Amino acid sequence: MFGSPNRGASSYAKVGLETSVVAASPHKLIVMLFDGALVAVLTGLMHMKSGNIPEKGKAISKAIQIIDNGLRASLDKKAGGQIAENLDALYEYMSARLLAANLKNDTEIMVEIQGLLTELRETWNAIGAAPAVNPASEMAPNRMSNLMSA
C-alpha cells in the first residue's frame, strides 16, 4: 500500500542530490562530477571482478558519460588556455582507456583511471580550499608601514 522502504529511501536520496546540485557552487559541481565518475569506476571494477558483465558495462558507460558530458563539457578552453587543453586531452584519454578496460575486462586499467580521477579530485578540492588572495589586503600592511615611516 505504501510502497517499499527502499523506494522511499531512494526518492529521498534523489531529492537530496537534486537539492545539493541546485545549491552547489560551480566548484562543488565539478567535485560532484569527480565523485560520480569515481563511484561509477569503482562499481564497474567491482562488477568486473564478480563477472557481472551487464552491470560492469553500465557502470563503465556511466563513468565515460560523466567524463565526456560533464567534466570535458565544462571546460572553457578560451579562458582555461593550456590547462584546459591538457585536461581535455586527459579526459579523452581516460574515456578511451575505460572503453578498452570494458572490452578487455582489464582491472589494471580501471585502477589506473581510478587513480587519475582521485588525483584530479584532490587537486580540484585543494584549489577550492585555498583562500582567494586579495591583492588590496596584501598591500595594506605595506602601505600602512610606508605611511607611518614618512
Side-chain angles (χ1 to χ4, degrees), residues 67-106:
I67 291 168
D68 286 345
N69 299 328
L71 294 169
R72 280 185 84 188
S74 69
L75 292 173
D76 184 345
K77 293 180 189 170
K78 288 181 183 178
Q82 190 62 45
I83 292 173
E85 291 290 337
N86 291 345
L87 281 171
D88 185 59
L90 182 58
Y91 294 150
E92 183 178 4
Y93 169 81
M94 288 192 292
S95 292
R97 293 292 286 163
L98 285 169
L99 183 60
N102 194 16
L103 294 172
K104 298 176 184 178
N105 246 12
D106 191 328

Side-chain angles (χ1 to χ4, degrees), residues 8-96:
S10 176
S11 295
Y12 185 77
K14 184 178 178 187
V15 168
L17 177 62
E18 289 172 0
T19 302
S20 296
V21 168
V22 169
S25 68
H27 186 271
K28 179 65 177 166
L29 289 173
I30 299 298
V31 172
M32 292 172 78
L33 287 170
F34 281 122
D35 288 344
L38 277 165
V39 168
V41 167
L42 291 170
T43 302
L45 184 59
M46 178 190 68
H47 288 303
M48 187 180 284
K49 289 179 178 178
S50 70
N52 188 340
I53 302 304
E55 292 302 316
K56 171 202 74 164
K58 286 180 189 176
I60 292 173
S61 292
K62 183 175 182 175
I64 292 170
Q65 286 180 328
I66 292 169
I67 291 168
D68 286 345
N69 299 328
L71 294 169
R72 280 185 84 188
S74 69
L75 292 173
D76 184 345
K77 293 180 189 170
K78 288 181 183 178
Q82 190 62 45
I83 292 173
E85 291 290 337
N86 291 345
L87 281 171
D88 185 59
L90 182 58
Y91 294 150
E92 183 178 4
Y93 169 81
M94 288 192 292
S95 292

